[in-house]
Amino acid sequence: MSLVIAMDGPSGSGKSSASKGVARALGLRYLDTGAMYRAMTWWMLRHGVDVEDGEAVAARAAEAVLVSGTDPDRPTIQADGEDVSEPIRTREVTNAVSAVSRVPAVRERMVALQREIIGTGGIVVEGRDIGTVVAPDAPVKVYLTASEAVRAARRAKDLAADPGASVSVTQAEQARRDRLDSTRKASPLAKAADAHEIDSTELSLDEVIEAVVRLAKEQN
Ligand code: DC
């Protein structure tokens, strides 16, 4: 398998920026698996599916046609041919995504799609279960963390345009999402035994990218 870099960690740990930066630095593709779960959630909401009803979600999980673009400079995500890059970032989707992602039928479908995209490698893949489930043979696995306060501040900055997204609201919503993502039965957020943990609380983005690039180069 050519290079696969698995980047797992909770929301706000800086995974997306770091993963894109690593992909650019090494000339690799980039896959945002969180965007896929968000797109599936957007699709369920669009079709009036009650996201808290796991059976209803499972019954329709095969219908959404999701297409991910893997250019780190211009990652894209389409659902049924519609560009959903922006709507998948709304609070409505963010607060519903954990309920949809815990449904086993959704995860099976996403993992199969992700493995197809990963193919023979040459890619940085970010998510929650990449090193543990999606690509357990990935030669480089990173588990990125940061203190809860730093993660909430980063999220609030991302959502600065949203008047409801104060740091305290974001922090509470994020803590709830992390709890749901870490305690669900089907492939919860977890650090793979062989993952390198990087705490980004005190690191700049460039320092995180450098640390991952160094790990990747050590593989060769
Ligand atoms: O990385 P993100 O915040 O955009 O991810 C959105 C949600 O998708 C997250 O709350 C949990 C889910 N997710 C998952 O269950 N497994 C992944 N590999 C990636 C994301």
Side-chain angles (χ1 to χ4, degrees), residues 100-155:
V100 171
S101 348
R102 72 172 170 233
V103 176
V106 168
R107 303 206 69 81
E108 278 159 31
R109 177 130 198 264
M110 294 293 102
V111 170
L113 267 175
Q114 289 155 13
R115 287 185 179 152
E116 235 173 74
I117 297 168
I118 292 169
T120 54
I123 193 163
V124 180
V125 187
E126 70 154 287
R128 303 289 192 288
D129 61 343
I130 310 306
T132 50
V133 174
V134 177
D137 297 332
V140 179
K141 296 184 188 178
V142 172
Y143 191 80
L144 200 57
T145 59
S147 70
E148 199 164 298
V150 163
R151 295 194 290 115
R154 284 179 188 155
R155 275 296 193 222

Side-chain angles (χ1 to χ4, degrees), residues 8-12 15-16 32-35 37-38 89 94 97-98 101-102 107 114 126-130 134 155 177-178 181 184 187:
D8 291 304
S11 59
K15 266 186 324 222
S16 292
D32 177 0
T33 62
Y37 285 95
R38 287 170 178 274
R89 304 290 164 194
T94 300
V97 69
S98 294
S101 348
R102 72 172 170 233
R107 303 206 69 81
Q114 289 155 13
E126 70 154 287
R128 303 289 192 288
D129 61 343
I130 310 306
V134 177
R155 275 296 193 222
R177 190 149 68 95
D178 286 343
D181 293 342
R184 68 175 177 231
S187 48

Side-chain angles (χ1 to χ4, degrees), residues 8-145:
D8 291 304
S11 59
S13 58
K15 266 186 324 222
S16 292
S17 308
S19 300
K20 281 185 247 182
V22 170
R24 268 185 223 116
L26 296 173
L28 301 174
R29 295 178 296 139
Y30 160 73
L31 179 63
D32 177 0
T33 62
M36 298 172 72
Y37 285 95
R38 287 170 178 274
M40 180 64 101
T41 303
W42 174 89
W43 189 97
M44 293 291 166
L45 294 169
R46 159 68 68 96
H47 288 83
V49 177
D50 174 3
V51 296
E52 297 298 331
D53 179 346
E55 279 179 26
V57 170
R60 304 205 61 186
E63 280 180 57
V65 179
L66 305 182
V67 177
S68 304
T70 56
D71 177 349
D73 288 323
R74 208 179 51 88
T76 55
I77 178 95
Q78 291 181 347
D80 293 355
E82 190 173 331
D83 177 356
V84 292
S85 315
E86 282 183 18
I88 62 167
R89 304 290 164 194
T90 58
R91 280 175 75 208
E92 189 194 9
V93 170
T94 300
N95 287 333
V97 69
S98 294
V100 171
S101 348
R102 72 172 170 233
V103 176
V106 168
R107 303 206 69 81
E108 278 159 31
R109 177 130 198 264
M110 294 293 102
V111 170
L113 267 175
Q114 289 155 13
R115 287 185 179 152
E116 235 173 74
I117 297 168
I118 292 169
T120 54
I123 193 163
V124 180
V125 187
E126 70 154 287
R128 303 289 192 288
D129 61 343
I130 310 306
T132 50
V133 174
V134 177
D137 297 332
V140 179
K141 296 184 188 178
V142 172
Y143 191 80
L144 200 57
T145 59

